[in-house]
Amino acid sequence: MTILSPIAGQGARKSADDGPFWTGKPDVAAFSKTQDERLAKATEAIDRMLAAKGKRTVENTLKPYDEALVYLNAASSQAHLIEEVHPDAALRSAAEKASQKAQAFGTELSLNRAVYDALTSLDLKGADEETRYYVEKTLRDFRLAGVDKDEATRKRIKALRDELVLIGQEFSRNIRDDKRTVVANDVAELEGLPADYIARHKPGPDGKITLTIDYPDSLPVFSYAKNENLRKRMYMEYNNRAFPKNMAVLDKLVAKRHELANLLGFKNWADYITADKMVGSAKNASDFIDRIVGASGAKAASEYQTLLKRKQKDAPQAAGVNAWESAYYSELVRKADYDFDSQSVRPYFQYSRVKQGVLDITSKLFGVQFREIKGAPVWHPSVEAYEMLEGGKLVGRFYLDMHPRENKFNHAAEFPVRTGVRGRQIPEAVLVCNFPGGDANDPGLMEHDDVETFFHEFGHLIHELFAGRNQWVGTGGISTEQDFIEAPSQLLEEWTWDAPVLQTFARHYQTNEPIPAALVKQMRRADEFGKALTVRRQMVYAKLSLSIYDREPSQVNTDALIKNLTEQYQPYKFVESTHFQTSFGHLDDYSAIYYTYMWSLVIAKDLFSQFDRANLLSPAAARRYRESILDPGGSRPASKLVESFLHRPFNFKAWQEWLNEGS
Ligand SMILES: [Zn+2]
C-alpha cells in the first residue's frame, strides 16, 4: 500500500486504487459514489489530454488517455462482478446501473472524434514497440467503433450500443434468476447417484426430493441416475432455463447488433466482430468450424455406435440414443470397456485439497507464492482472498467465490476487477465458480470435470495477474485478441491428467492415500471415449453462435437453427420443446465467436507440445511460457507471442493427435 505523504509530489502520487478493491465493503450509496468519482476522474484526464498545447506527445496525450482508461477499467469491471455475485439485490441493481454508466462512457469515448484526432497526430518517434502497438491497436478500435462516421451516424451508434448493454443485462439476469427445480418422487428415484449426493438431498415432509438445475445438482443426474425419466425431466428443465423470456430478448440482441454492424459498414455482425480477431473474418471462422467438423466425423460416428450397442443391452429394440441418455451411457461404456468409474476418483478430489493443489502447482511452475488474506473485505463470508507474491514482493491479489448460492452467477468464470499497471497499481481478479463443498455437511467431493474447470479458470487468473506489469492499462491483463484468451486456460487443464501432478494433492478424503497412478491411467484412457462427440457438440454451439449473426435477422429462427445444427453435427435427435439458446450466455458476451474455444484449444495443444510430459512439474518450459505469452498480455499480437514460444506459427498437428489418441 502506498503511504500517502502530506507533501505528495510526483513520486508519491496516490495510486488510482489502493488495497483490496472491496475495501470498506461499500453499501449502495458508497459504491455508487465511488463509481461516479471514477468516471469524473476519467473525464478530467480526457479534458487534460484535449487541452494539451503544441506537439502531441506520449507524455501529454497517450498518458492522460491511458489514465482515463485506468478509471474506466476499474468502474466497468467492478460493476460487472458485483452485479453477478453480490448477495444484496439492491447492490446488484446499483451495479447494473453503474455498469450501464461505465459502458455508456466507454461508447462515448470510442466515438469522440477529438480524442481520435489527438491520438492520430501522436509523435511516436523513439517510442518502444509496446507503445507503438498500443497506439496502432487503439486507432483501429476507434475506427471499428465508428469514430470516423458523420455526426448523425455516431448518434445512432451510441443509442444502439446503450440499448445493447440493457438487452445483454436482461439476457444474463433472466438466466441468473430462473430457479427451476425437478422433483424426485422418492429416494428410490435417485438410484445410481453417489451416496453423498443422496445424503445431501433429504426428502421433504411429503417424501419428495427437490433438485435444482445448478451444476452440482444436475450434472450427476445426467451421468449416474438410473431412472431415465428423472434424467429426461432434468434435461428438459436444464435446457429451458430462461425460456420463454429470453427468446424475444435474443431476437432483439441479434437485430440490434445487425443494425449496428450495418451502420459501421459491415454486412453483418459476424463480419464486424471477427475483423480484429486472430481468425480475421467470419468466412475464416466458418471454414475453421468446417475443418473441425470434418476431422471429427468418423470418430464421432464410431463412438455413437458404441453408445447405442451399450444401450441395446438394456433395451434390445432401441434404434437410437437420446440426448438425455448420452452422459449416462458414456459412463457405462467407460465402466465396461475401459474399466473406469468416474465416481471412483471423487474421494480423491475434495474441494479444499484441490484448491491447495492448484495453488501449490502454479506456485512451483511459475515462481510465485500465494498467501491467504485473513479478514479481507469480501462481498460474502464464503469468499476467500489471496495475495500473490514474487521475490517477497506483493504483485497481485485474487478472490475465490467458489460455491453456489442464490442469485449468484451460475457458471464458472474469471472476472478481472483491476488491471495491473507497472508502478501504479497491482492487478486483482476473482474466480466465480459453482463447485461442491460449500456447506458443512458436504465433504465437497469434486468430479474430475470440476477439477479441470478449476485449473481452466486459474489459467485465466494467472494470465490476468502475470500481465499486470505492462506500462499501459490498455496492453495489460487479458487484453489480447479474444480468440486467443481460451488458450492459457485450456493449456492449464493438461495438468489435471498427469499422475505425478495429481498425486501432489489428490488424496483420499478419508484414508489420505494419494490417487493411484493406475487409476489416473484408466481415467485418461476412458477420457478418450466420447471426445469426438464432445467436439461435435462444441461445433453445434460454435456454428449456432456464428449463424445467428451472419445473416439478415429476418432469416434467423434460433429454434430452427439449433435443431438443424444438432441433427447435422450430432447423432442424437433434437429434443423438441427444449431451447438451449435461451440460457447460452455466450450468445451475448461472445456473440458470434464461440469458435474461440476450439481455436484456442488447437493453439493450446500445440503449446503443450513444448512441455516435458515426463516431468510436468518442471518449471523450465513453464517459465518460458510465462515470459513469452502470459507476461506480455496484449502488448504484441497473439500470433507473435505464440511464435516466440514455438519458434514457428501454430499448426493443427498436436490437436489432431490429441483427437485421435487411443483410436
Ligand atoms: Zn475460459
Side-chain angles (χ1 to χ4, degrees), residues 4 10 17 59 134 252 277 279 288 369 392 498 599 607:
L4 200 63
Q10 287 260 306
D17 277 286
E59 193 60 37
Y134 180 31
K252 227 172 11 179
K277 306 296 180 286
V279 81
F288 171 76
Q369 295 76 47
D498 183 67
W599 177 271
L607 298 178

Side-chain angles (χ1 to χ4, degrees), residues 210-427:
T210 303
L211 309 175
T212 71
I213 57 171
D214 291 336
Y215 292 151
D217 271 16
S218 56
L219 299 187
V221 168
F222 295 133
S223 296
Y224 307 125
K226 286 200 173 152
N227 188 308
E228 190 203 329
N229 190 267
L230 179 70
R231 265 185 275 124
K232 184 171 181 187
R233 268 145 51 211
M234 183 61 90
Y235 185 90
M236 298 308 290
E237 294 306 325
Y238 188 85
N239 287 288
N240 274 306
R241 197 195 281 259
F243 177 83
K245 279 187 177 171
N246 268 349
M247 290 297 283
V249 180
L250 184 55
D251 288 344
K252 227 172 11 179
L253 196 59
V254 167
K256 297 286 173 187
R257 277 180 165 155
H258 186 78
E259 188 187 345
L260 178 55
N262 287 168
L263 279 178
L264 291 166
F266 289 82
K267 219 172 117 211
N268 54 57
W269 180 262
D271 275 338
Y272 170 69
I273 201 73
T274 48
D276 62 350
K277 306 296 180 286
M278 289 182 90
V279 81
S281 70
K283 166 80 170 63
N284 291 349
S286 179
D287 290 350
F288 171 76
I289 294 170
D290 289 346
R291 181 171 182 175
I292 301 294
V293 165
S296 53
K299 189 166 180 174
S302 121
E303 286 171 350
Y304 179 71
Q305 283 310 312
T306 308
L307 280 184
L308 180 57
K309 279 200 196 103
R310 177 58 193 82
K311 183 180 171 184
Q312 284 165 343
K313 279 191 190 166
D314 295 352
Q317 306 307 318
V321 178
N322 295 305
W324 61 87
E325 297 173 318
S326 69
Y328 177 74
Y329 282 111
S330 296
E331 190 59 30
L332 293 184
V333 166
R334 289 188 189 111
K335 257 188 204 159
D337 299 359
Y338 297 85
D339 192 24
F340 178 73
D341 172 358
S342 68
Q343 286 192 53
S344 65
V345 297
R346 291 180 62 245
Y348 299 96
F349 295 137
Q350 187 169 28
Y351 171 77
S352 53
R353 291 175 190 242
V354 172
K355 178 186 75 184
Q356 198 54 48
V358 173
L359 297 178
D360 291 344
I361 287 159
T362 46
S363 165
K364 186 171 163 47
L365 288 176
F366 300 108
V368 288
Q369 295 76 47
F370 303 116
R371 190 165 67 194
E372 195 178 347
I373 318 173
K374 295 280 181 201
V378 292
W379 50 98
H380 187 269
S382 67
V383 177
E384 294 178 330
Y386 288 84
E387 289 177 335
M388 182 171 90
L389 300 117
E390 186 163 19
K393 224 179 118 206
L394 179 67
V395 291
R397 287 189 202 91
F398 62 91
Y399 305 83
L400 301 178
D401 185 346
M402 303 302 259
H403 310 293
R405 63 172 175 272
E406 242 183 80
N407 301 310
K408 180 185 137 174
F409 177 77
N410 42 38
H411 298 273
E414 182 263 353
F415 289 73
V417 283
R418 185 193 298 143
T419 299
V421 184
R422 187 161 74 222
R424 179 176 188 125
Q425 58 185 20
I426 61 164

Side-chain angles (χ1 to χ4, degrees), residues 456-457 460 485-486 489 590 597:
H456 176 107
E457 299 306 337
H460 286 308
I485 65 175
E486 297 297 338
S489 52
Y590 277 55
Y597 280 92

